[in-house]
Amino acid sequence: MNKITMTTPLVEMDGDEMTRVLWQMIKDELILPFVDLKAEYYDLGLKHRDETNDQVTVDAANAVKKYGVAVKCATITPNAARMKEYQLKEMWKSPNGTIRSILDGTVFRAPILVKGIEPYVRTWKKPIVMARHAYGDVYKAAEMRIPGPGTCELVFRGEDGSETKELIHHFQGPGVVQGMHNLDSSISAFAHSCFSYALDQKMDLWFASKDTISKKYDQHFKLCFQEIFDRDYKEKFEALGLKYFYTLIDDAVARAVKSEGGFIWALKNYDGDVMSDLVASAFGSLAMMTSVLVSPHGWYEYEAAHGTVQRHYYRWLKGEQTSTNPMATIFAWSGALKKRGELDHNQALCTFGEKLEKASVLAIENGLMTGDLASITTHPDPTTLNSADFIHEIRNILETI
Ligand code: NAP
Ligand code: MG
C-alpha cells in the first residue's frame, strides 16, 4: 500500500508516563503504516525538559510558529513529589502554560461523541465545544485579608502622574478583598480565536458573562467581542449561515442544558474552568475530551484534555497490562493531520484523519472499548480491552474502511 505523503512537517511533542506509552503505540499502529510522517520531534518528557533546562519546551513552541500545526502528548507539571521522583534541577513550569504564553491562544475542548456512551443530559445530540479564556481574572489576582475596620480603595497611578480611585468598601469589621485584571490585547486575542474557530468548525458561537453586575469589567469583554465581530467576522458568519450572540451567563447555562448541543461556548477564565469540567463530565468521560489551542495568528496545537494517567503508568511499569483509553490522544493526532492536510491542500491526509476518527468511533460502537468506557456504556455486550488490543482493533477497522 502506498503511504500518504506530507509536504510540510508538523510539530510532534512527546510527553510523559502512560500517555507516552500510548503515544508510541498510536504512532506504530495507526499512523506510521499509513502516512509517510513528516514531523519535527521535540521530547517534552520531564527528564529531557530537565536536561535542557526546559529550553526544549520553548523550542517546541517556537517550532509551532514556524510550521503552524502541532500535536502534543500529555506532560507532567512538576510539583514537590515530582522534584524528588525525577531529581529535577528546578520545579519547571507547566509546559502548557509556557506554550500558551508563547502562542497566545485560547483552549477549545470538545467531547468525542459515540453511540453507547450517552450524555447525562438527554437533549444533547451534538458536541458542545468549550472555549476558555486562558489569561488573567482571578488566576492573576491580588488578595488581602482585611483585619478590621478601615477603608479599602482601588488606586490606579498613571505614568503621567494622574491618579484614579474607586472605593471598594468602608469596612466596619474584618473581611477579605481581591483585585483582578485583564488586558485589551488578551481579550481581543481571545475574541479573534473564538470567531476564527467558529468559522473553521462551522458552528455558532455563544459568549456569556455577567455584564449586568460587572458593568465595567465584564461589559468590556462584551463590547470587545461585539466590536471585533462587527468589524471582522459578521459577513463571514452570515455567508456560512452562522450566528454569534452574547447572553448573560445564567441565561446561557439554562439554554445550554435545554439545547441539543452543536455550538461553541466562549467563557471567561474562571467560568470556563468550572463549566468545561461540568460539560466534559456530563458528556460521559474526561478520556473522551479533545483539546486544541488556537492562537489568533492561526497556529494550532492538538492534545488530549486529560493528564499522563500516572496511576495506570505505575501499574504498567510493574508489567501489568492497562486499559487506558487512547481516544483523546488518537483524536489529537487526527486533528493535527487533518489541519496539516487542510493548510497544505493535501486531501489524502484530511481523508486519512477522518478515517482514523471513524475507525476509532466504530470500534467503540461495535462494543470494543477500554475499561473506563465499559463501566458506563449502554452497549448490551461490551468487551473490555487493554490499550494495545484496543488500538489493534482500531487498526483492523482502519484497514477495511
Ligand atoms: P489524569 O492523568 O488526567 O488522570 C486522572 C484519572 O482519570 C486517572 O487516574 C484515571 O482514573 C482517569 N483517566 C484520565 N485519563 C484517562 C484515560 N485516558 N483512560 C482511562 N482513565 C483515564 O490526571 P492526574 O493523575 O491528576 O495527573 C497526572 C499527571 O498529568 C500530573 O503530573 C499532571 O501534571 C499531568 N497533567 C497534564 C496535563 C496535560 O499535559 N495536558 C493535563 C492534566 C494533568 P483511574 O485511575 O480511576 O482509572
Ligand atoms: Mg479545572
Side-chain angles (χ1 to χ4, degrees):
M1 192 183 75
N2 283 341
K3 288 192 195 180
I4 296 159
T5 52
M6 292 175 63
T7 47
T8 319
L10 52 78
V11 181
E12 175 186 352
M13 305 183 194
D14 209 342
D16 287 301
E17 301 195 308
M18 202 59 217
T19 40
R20 189 182 179 98
V21 176
L22 296 177
W23 194 258
Q24 197 58 48
M25 290 181 186
I26 292 168
K27 275 177 72 180
D28 289 344
E29 282 262 39
L30 302 177
I31 311 290
L32 297 177
F34 304 94
V35 178
D36 192 8
L37 183 68
K38 269 198 182 180
E40 199 162 290
Y41 178 85
Y42 292 86
D43 182 0
L44 266 55
L46 186 51
K47 188 164 163 287
H48 193 237
R49 273 183 276 149
D50 195 51
E51 283 162 5
T52 62
N53 297 328
D54 210 19
Q55 184 60 37
V56 65
T57 310
V58 175
D59 292 345
N62 284 324
V64 187
K65 291 185 172 179
K66 185 168 166 198
Y67 294 114
V69 183
V71 56
K72 181 182 170 291
C73 180
T75 45
I76 293 170
T77 297
N79 55 16
R82 300 299 200 165
M83 289 282 290
K84 229 168 117 191
E85 185 183 354
Y86 286 81
Q87 302 188 327
L88 301 178
K89 293 185 240 173
E90 242 180 73
M91 201 184 289
W92 306 109
K93 284 194 217 146
S94 150
N96 288 339
T98 303
I99 294 167
R100 220 175 283 155
S101 72
I102 293 172
L103 301 182
D104 183 18
T106 301
V107 176
F108 296 88
R109 296 200 153 168
I112 304 163
L113 298 196
V114 299
K115 285 194 207 83
I117 310 296
E118 303 305 329
Y120 292 98
V121 179
R122 284 196 308 271
T123 50
W124 289 357
K125 305 281 182 252
K126 298 180 211 157
I128 296 174
V129 179
M130 306 302 289
R132 171 186 170 189
H133 187 209
Y135 177 84
D137 301 351
V138 69
Y139 301 84
K140 279 206 182 278
E143 301 187 320
M144 245 190 253
R145 170 86 171 106
I146 302 296
T151 300
C152 193
E153 292 175 328
L154 283 176
V155 183
F156 171 72
R157 251 173 245 110
E159 281 191 345
D160 61 359
S162 65
E163 203 172 86
T164 320
K165 280 188 194 171
E166 191 73 38
L167 174 71
I168 296 175
H169 194 63
H170 287 302
F171 284 90
Q172 306 298 323
V176 281
V177 71
Q178 180 182 67
M180 62 186 202
H181 79 280
N182 223 299
L183 305 170
D184 282 14
S185 56
S186 180
I187 300 167
S188 56
F190 173 44
H192 279 293
S193 299
C194 290
F195 292 126
S196 313
Y197 195 68
L199 289 173
D200 188 68
Q201 297 293 305
K202 300 188 178 53
M203 286 170 104
D204 289 346
L205 177 71
W206 303 11
F207 176 48
S209 74
K210 193 73 180 174
D211 65 295
T212 45
I213 300 299
S214 173
K215 291 187 197 305
K216 291 209 173 97
Y217 201 108
D218 283 17
Q219 170 86 342
H220 187 65
F221 275 77
K222 173 182 167 176
L223 294 177
C224 183
F225 264 68
Q226 196 62 49
E227 187 190 312
I228 290 172
F229 178 72
D230 292 342
R231 190 186 63 215
D232 297 337
Y233 297 95
K234 196 165 191 263
E235 285 168 17
K236 293 176 192 154
F237 268 61
E238 280 168 6
L240 290 172
L242 299 176
K243 281 202 284 287
Y244 162 67
F245 73 93
Y246 173 88
T247 186
L248 283 172
I249 186 156
D250 26 8
D251 177 51
V253 169
R255 282 186 195 222
V257 169
K258 284 185 273 180
S259 79
E260 57 167 40
F263 58 93
I264 299 170
W265 188 0
L267 290 162
K268 290 171 60 206
N269 208 348
Y270 173 82
D271 302 334
D273 185 355
V274 177
M275 294 311 296
S276 63
D277 277 8
L278 183 101
V279 169
S281 313
F283 268 108
S285 164
L286 188 61
M288 298 288 278
M289 200 70 174
T290 64
S291 184
V292 56
L293 174 71
V294 179
S295 89
H297 314 284
W299 304 315
Y300 295 78
E301 184 227 58
Y302 294 83
E303 60 170 350
H306 60 76
T308 60
V309 211
Q310 182 181 10
R311 281 203 293 270
H312 293 211
Y313 180 61
Y314 290 153
R315 295 210 302 271
W316 185 83
L317 284 180
K318 284 194 231 148
E320 286 174 39
Q321 288 285 351
T322 71
S323 186
T324 317
N325 188 339
M327 285 293 282
T329 306
I330 294 172
F331 273 64
W333 274 98
S334 62
L337 291 172
K338 286 196 297 183
K339 181 51 75 178
R340 183 77 278 162
E342 186 193 315
L343 296 178
D344 296 350
H345 306 290
N346 183 343
Q347 186 55 47
L349 197 58
C350 295
T351 307
F352 173 75
E354 271 155 27
K355 279 189 180 174
L356 176 55
E357 293 179 358
K358 195 171 160 201
S360 308
V361 167
L362 273 175
I364 298 173
E365 293 183 346
N366 290 345
L368 308 169
M369 59 192 82
T370 46
D372 56 316
L373 298 185
S375 66
I376 57 169
T377 185
T378 55
H379 193 284
D381 186 23
T383 308
T384 304
L385 300 174
N386 64 44
S387 305
D389 289 346
F390 176 62
I391 289 171
H392 194 68
E393 290 294 347
I394 296 173
R395 178 172 177 174
N396 287 340
I397 299 173
L398 188 55
E399 280 171 349
T400 63
I401 59 173

